[in-house]
Amino acid sequence: MKLTNKKISMQILSYKRSLILLSILCSGALFAQDKPLGSETVIVVKPYTPSVNDAFKIKETPKQGDSVKLDKKPVKYSIFSVPVASTFTPSKGRATQVEKAKRIKLFDNYVTLGFGTYSNALAEFYTNFEVSRSDNFGIFLTHNSSQGGIEDVVLEDNFYNTNLNLNYNSRNRKSSWTTELDLKHQLFNWYGVPETLGLSNNLIRGIDAQQNYYAAGVGGELQLYDSFFKKGSANYRYFGDDFSSTEHNFKADANFELNIADELINTKISADVLNGSFQNGYQDLNSKDYTWMNFGVTPSLVILRDDLTLNLGASFVYGLDAENSDNSVYIYPQVTASYRVYGDMFIAYAGLEGGLNQNTYYNFAQENPYVSPTLDIRPTDRPYDGYVGAKGKLTNSISYNLRGGYMSEINRALYRNNYEFTTNKEGYTNGNSFGVVYDDLKTLSGFGEISVDVNSSFKLGLNATYFSYNGEFEAEAWNLPDYKASILADYQITKKWFAGANMFFVGERKDREIYFAPADGNNFRTVTLDPYVDLNANLGYRFNDQLSIFAKGNNLLGDNYNKWSNFPVQGIQVMAGATYKFDWN
């Protein structure tokens, strides 16, 4: 058969299609078998010659073909719950609550009244008015009096002490200032006539032993928070009595503070001007005038280094006795240091200081109201007062302070009993008053104190001081005790009940008394005043935040001891009263 080219081509194409179809069916049959292929031996008839195909670019986001995508079969499941038999029921937790102390209500005003034995009366009144958010005006009135009645005292021994204070203060972010007016009236009697005078009771009753003191003062203080000038104050006080004695005292001081090279420099400038007069002296009828002017400047450098605090300074004082046209310049050390040796448990400290202390008639009368209005007024020069000590906290509730010191004083004022003077007969010239003498005195002292906070309701404190004196001119350090001690306790019994107690111990003192003994020609002798203990206690009950009542007992041991020579004190004194707090609005 003769085949044309066209037919031959169609037959060849038909064979190729049959061959391709057979290959596909055979491949499907091979892949469909579950059995693995058998091992065969392959003989390579020529060496392998690798070649590199043409590179092609891979698509950045290839598409997944349907042939490799598998559909997830849905999973079906069920939970077979079986109840568990249990009788346990868990309790819900609660957060612990912190007990908050009840906020104490503060009141702007209060009044206190109390009455007791010896016709004692106590009255206090305080009120505060808020003028604006930054300004306040306050009034404080106090009165303490007794009609007397001390055992074996023939003269009147009543007294009273009344004080009125008016104050106005203002405060803002940069400063604060305060002004005040202070008025005072005091009444005392020179009832301590010595038995050695041998006066009859009728003669003693004829003595007018009453003395009245009058005082008025005005002053102010200014503080600046963001300035090198830190604080300044100025005060004027008038003081007088029934015997035409007058005294004017003006004081002013200013404190400056600069920080230079991380070091603190403090400077204090002060002025103290005193003028006064007594109508007459104790031995004569001539008036006694005095005028003292003291001006001082005290620069100091404060150094703070970790546990060390060091204050290096000195005082320069110019003193003028205007009545005698005499002046002096004084230089005093002002050096103090403290070092934390063992944290707050042990802090060592020391100091060497001095100063010129201006004595006044007012200060003498407040310390000893039985002085005569015939005193010699002059300042006390304290060249040095050196001390060394240690303080700290043994535990959170126990703290202590121990100190030893040695001090030198020139013209130290001492109270000494006046002798009888018959020429100038006044209520204070019967050996029943005290004068002031001056001596150069050196004092060695030791001090100890411990404070215990037993708990938040009970606090206890004890302190004691020992003195040893060495005078230059006087026979004794008149009326200075050889030791003093005190015990203080404060107890909040319950929320309603509170109590407190204090006990004072005062050692022996020396004074002189009139002693008529013509044989030995000595009209005076030294006497020793016995040491005494004074126990005081108080008990109170608080009904609410506003009203409370109290009972006080003074000198509960009942000892009519002599605080001053020939001046016994009242025995057991009991007083009861109430305090009421309130707001005007």
Side-chain angles (χ1 to χ4, degrees):
M1 178 183 298
K2 186 178 180 179
L3 300 174
T4 64
N5 292 335
K6 182 176 182 180
K7 291 181 178 180
I8 294 171
S9 297
M10 293 180 61
Q11 288 181 358
I12 293 172
L13 181 60
S14 176
Y15 293 151
K16 288 182 179 181
R17 291 177 178 174
S18 299
L19 182 61
I20 292 171
L21 178 60
L22 178 63
S23 299
I24 292 173
L25 292 174
C26 291
S27 299
L30 290 174
F31 283 107
Q33 291 180 357
D34 294 333
K35 296 180 181 181
L37 296 176
S39 60
E40 293 183 0
T41 301
V42 179
I43 299 174
V44 179
V45 295
K46 69 173 182 176
Y48 172 68
T49 303
S51 62
V52 179
N53 294 330
D54 295 336
F56 60 92
K57 184 178 180 181
I58 301 175
K59 295 181 179 181
E60 293 182 358
T61 308
K63 295 183 179 180
Q64 186 178 16
D66 294 337
S67 61
V68 297
K69 184 176 180 181
L70 301 176
D71 294 332
K72 293 182 180 180
K73 293 182 178 182
V75 179
K76 296 181 180 181
Y77 63 91
S78 62
I79 298 175
F80 181 67
S81 299
V82 178
V84 179
S86 175
T87 58
F88 173 72
T89 304
S91 59
K92 295 182 179 180
R94 298 181 61 185
T96 302
Q97 295 182 351
V98 178
E99 294 184 3
K100 296 181 179 180
K102 184 180 179 181
R103 186 176 180 181
I104 300 176
K105 170 65 176 177
L106 300 179
F107 296 91
D108 293 333
N109 319 281
Y110 81 89
V111 59
T112 297
L113 293 175
F115 301 95
T117 57
Y118 294 94
S119 300
N120 291 346
L122 172 67
E124 292 184 4
F125 172 73
Y126 175 78
T127 183
N128 180 74
F129 298 97
E130 186 175 347
V131 180
S132 65
R133 295 183 61 182
S134 60
D135 295 10
N136 290 274
F137 174 69
I139 302 174
F140 185 41
L141 174 65
T142 63
H143 173 83
N144 187 18
S145 65
S146 172
Q147 298 306 310
I150 302 175
E151 185 178 358
D152 298 329
V153 171
V154 179
L155 290 175
E156 290 289 336
D157 60 338
N158 61 314
F159 75 89
Y160 70 80
N161 187 347
T162 303
N163 186 70
L164 174 63
N165 178 273
L166 308 177
N167 59 81
Y168 190 97
N169 62 80
S170 177
R171 180 184 297 270
N172 55 49
R173 292 182 177 181
K174 295 183 178 181
S175 65
S176 65
W177 57 268
T178 301
T179 60
E180 66 176 359
L181 172 66
D182 195 74
L183 304 174
K184 181 178 293 187
H185 179 206
Q186 298 170 300
L187 182 149
F188 294 94
N189 284 276
W190 292 293
Y191 61 85
V193 178
E195 296 180 357
T196 53
L197 283 181
L199 300 179
S200 65
N201 287 341
N202 289 332
L203 290 176
I204 294 176
R205 290 190 182 96
I207 299 174
D208 183 7
Q210 182 173 290
Q211 168 69 301
N212 284 277
Y213 295 119
Y214 310 94
V218 61
E221 181 179 277
L222 172 65
Q223 282 186 294
L224 300 180
Y225 304 136
D226 299 324
S227 172
F228 70 96
F229 174 79
K230 290 301 178 182
K231 183 172 67 172
S233 65
N235 297 276
Y236 165 77
R237 183 185 63 243
Y238 165 82
F239 186 64
D241 61 19
D242 280 348
F243 294 84
S244 301
S245 305
T246 59
E247 183 177 78
H248 306 271
N249 189 201
F250 174 78
K251 289 183 178 182
D253 61 69
N255 290 270
F256 302 88
E257 185 177 286
L258 291 175
N259 194 326
I260 300 177
D262 294 332
E263 303 294 350
L264 197 61
I265 299 177
N266 293 326
T267 302
K268 179 180 179 181
I269 300 175
S270 61
D272 190 344
V273 179
L274 181 70
N275 172 261
S277 66
F278 295 105
Q279 189 176 27
N280 53 261
Y282 194 81
Q283 299 180 6
D284 55 63
L285 299 179
N286 297 325
S287 62
K288 300 181 65 175
D289 301 329
Y290 55 93
T291 300
W292 294 91
M293 299 182 182
N294 304 314
F295 305 95
V297 57
T298 305
S300 63
L301 172 64
V302 181
I303 300 175
L304 302 175
R305 295 291 186 275
D306 296 330
D307 295 327
L308 175 66
T309 301
L310 184 61
N311 190 341
L312 302 175
S315 290
F316 304 90
V317 181
Y318 172 76
L320 173 64
D321 179 2
E323 295 294 332
N324 299 308
S325 300
D326 186 20
N327 62 81
S328 300
V329 176
Y330 307 88
I331 301 177
Y332 302 104
Q334 300 291 342
V335 180
T336 61
S338 67
Y339 183 73
R340 294 180 179 270
V341 180
Y342 193 70
D344 290 337
M345 293 185 63
F346 186 81
I347 302 173
Y349 65 91
L352 183 62
E353 301 177 275
L356 186 67
N357 302 327
Q358 179 61 63
N359 297 306
T360 66
Y361 181 32
Y362 174 82
N363 291 336
F364 287 147
Q366 299 308 301
E367 186 176 13
N368 183 353
Y370 310 112
V371 293
S372 61
T374 59
L375 304 179
D376 178 19
I377 305 295
R378 65 179 77 168
T380 295
D381 175 17
R382 184 164 48 95
Y384 61 86
D385 179 8
Y387 57 88
V388 60
K391 61 183 179 179
K393 300 184 69 174
L394 298 177
T395 66
N396 290 333
S397 59
I398 301 177
S399 59
Y400 68 94
N401 188 6
L402 302 174
R403 182 179 70 244
Y406 187 74
M407 178 172 57
S408 174
E409 295 173 291
I410 299 174
N411 287 331
R412 167 65 187 267
L414 303 172
Y415 301 107
R416 190 181 66 181
N417 185 255
N418 285 325
Y419 56 84
E420 182 191 17
F421 193 71
T422 56
T423 303
N424 178 25
K425 210 59 178 171
E426 294 287 353
Y428 54 85
T429 59
N430 300 280
N432 57 336
S433 65
F434 293 85
V436 173
V437 295
Y438 294 89
D439 194 8
D440 295 348
L441 195 66
K442 291 181 173 59
T443 306
L444 177 67
S445 63
F447 170 80
E449 180 182 39
I450 186 168
S451 177
V452 181
D453 293 342
V454 179
N455 51 47
S456 60
S457 300
F458 183 50
K459 298 180 180 180
L460 181 67
L462 303 90
N463 66 75
T465 309
Y466 168 78
F467 303 96
S468 178
Y469 308 102
N470 183 15
E472 185 71 20
F473 307 110
E474 295 294 324
E476 301 286 347
W478 307 113
N479 280 292
L480 293 181
D482 54 1
Y483 72 87
K484 295 191 298 183
S486 64
I487 301 175
L488 307 175
D490 187 13
Y491 185 32
Q492 185 70 39
I493 304 173
T494 65
K495 293 183 179 180
K496 299 291 186 179
W497 289 94
F498 57 92
N502 55 69
M503 183 179 292
F504 300 98
F505 305 85
V506 178
E508 293 182 347
R509 290 92 61 218
K510 304 290 185 179
D511 205 342
R512 71 173 188 180
E513 70 176 5
I514 299 175
Y515 177 58
F516 291 103
D520 55 22
N522 188 1
N523 292 332
F524 303 101
R525 63 183 177 187
T526 300
V527 295
T528 300
L529 278 68
D530 294 332
Y532 65 85
V533 179
D534 195 330
L535 173 62
N536 308 299
N538 66 84
L539 177 66
Y541 181 79
R542 186 177 295 107
F543 291 97
N544 49 49
D545 292 338
Q546 292 184 266
L547 179 63
S548 62
I549 59 175
F550 64 87
K552 294 183 179 181
N554 296 328
N555 195 15
L556 294 178
L557 300 180
D559 183 15
N560 293 93
Y561 60 84
N562 288 326
K563 182 176 181 180
W564 304 101
S565 181
N566 301 314
F567 282 83
V569 301
Q570 295 177 350
I572 298 177
Q573 306 155 49
V574 179
M575 174 179 289
T579 297
Y580 181 70
K581 303 175 184 178
F582 62 96
D583 288 328
W584 291 113
N585 50 4

